[in-house]
Amino acid sequence: MSRNLRLLAEKLVTPIGTLVVMTDERGRLRAIDWTDHDDRMRRLLARHYGSDHMTVVPASQLSEPASAIAEYFEGGLHAIDSLPTATEGTPFQKRVWQALREIPTGQTVSYGELARHIGQPTAVRAVGLANGANPIGIVVPCHRVIGANGSLTGYGGGLDRKRWLLNHEKRATEGAARSSA
């Protein structure tokens, strides 16, 4: 790699912990993780961009992605739907991540359903690995993937946060449906 990527970091306090939101200088979302998993995010960034080809500096102002994520936590769930992103990953991972963004807010799918959706029904484990490698959780809603039996399974931020996110989306979408009826 010959480029030096400058990432802007900002912290966002949410009801379930503090997030670190990383954007590039063009305002594209590059990574999100919880501050209690900061080491994991730094390893992921170093793997994708090379630790000597990346600089992380504090953001001087609130970015569009951080503002939209804050709005999501306040109940404006669709604020994150069209955020510009720029993530590194394999072509397979990027297909899985795109499919994750197509899961309707407030709904869940199993890993098997996700594998079938991308046209690779036997790639359930690979879909699970790609889901776990997602660098921009919440915006690429890996929390909406559950076990085949409907159980909550793996989430990098922990199952309590996954449960909270799913309940948050369910409450907000049910509230919106009641108010439009």
Side-chain angles (χ1 to χ4, degrees):
M1 286 182 197
S2 60
R3 68 185 197 284
N4 187 23
L5 179 64
R6 182 178 152 109
L7 296 174
L8 308 172
E10 51 199 310
K11 291 188 178 177
L12 181 65
V13 177
T14 77
I16 52 176
T18 302
L19 282 172
V20 176
V21 178
M22 298 267 196
T23 56
D24 61 25
E25 292 181 296
R26 293 175 53 194
R28 298 175 303 176
L29 187 59
R30 293 286 187 144
I32 300 172
D33 214 337
W34 304 98
T35 55
D36 53 329
H37 296 288
D38 191 54
D39 288 343
R40 175 181 60 202
M41 182 167 59
R42 297 225 180 248
R43 282 191 310 273
L44 176 136
L45 291 170
R47 182 172 58 242
H48 286 300
Y49 305 114
S51 56
D52 55 345
H53 295 285
M54 166 189 69
T55 307
V56 178
V57 298
S60 61
Q61 60 188 23
L62 187 67
S63 68
E64 176 189 352
S67 179
I69 294 166
E71 188 176 334
Y72 166 89
F73 278 100
E74 293 168 5
L77 302 181
H78 296 290
I80 61 173
D81 289 351
S82 61
L83 281 176
T85 64
T87 56
E88 295 292 324
T90 67
F92 179 81
Q93 287 173 327
K94 289 181 177 188
R95 281 184 31 226
V96 171
W97 299 338
Q98 180 56 45
L100 288 168
R101 288 191 93 172
E102 295 167 8
I103 301 169
T105 304
Q107 295 184 25
T108 58
V109 301
S110 70
Y111 292 96
E113 290 170 309
L114 194 56
R116 286 188 294 280
H117 179 76
I118 65 165
Q120 292 195 247
T122 60
V124 176
R125 288 186 185 191
V127 163
L129 290 172
N131 197 48
N134 170 18
I136 52 176
I138 300 170
V139 173
V140 172
C142 51
H143 62 276
R144 295 181 190 156
V145 182
I146 59 174
N149 64 358
S151 64
L152 295 188
T153 59
Y155 179 66
L159 291 182
D160 287 340
R161 285 182 175 134
K162 181 172 186 160
R163 185 175 297 106
W164 190 95
L165 291 165
L166 292 172
N167 288 335
H168 172 63
E169 291 182 358
K170 184 177 181 183
R171 282 189 307 272
T173 54
E174 287 174 351
R178 278 195 300 274
S179 66
S180 67

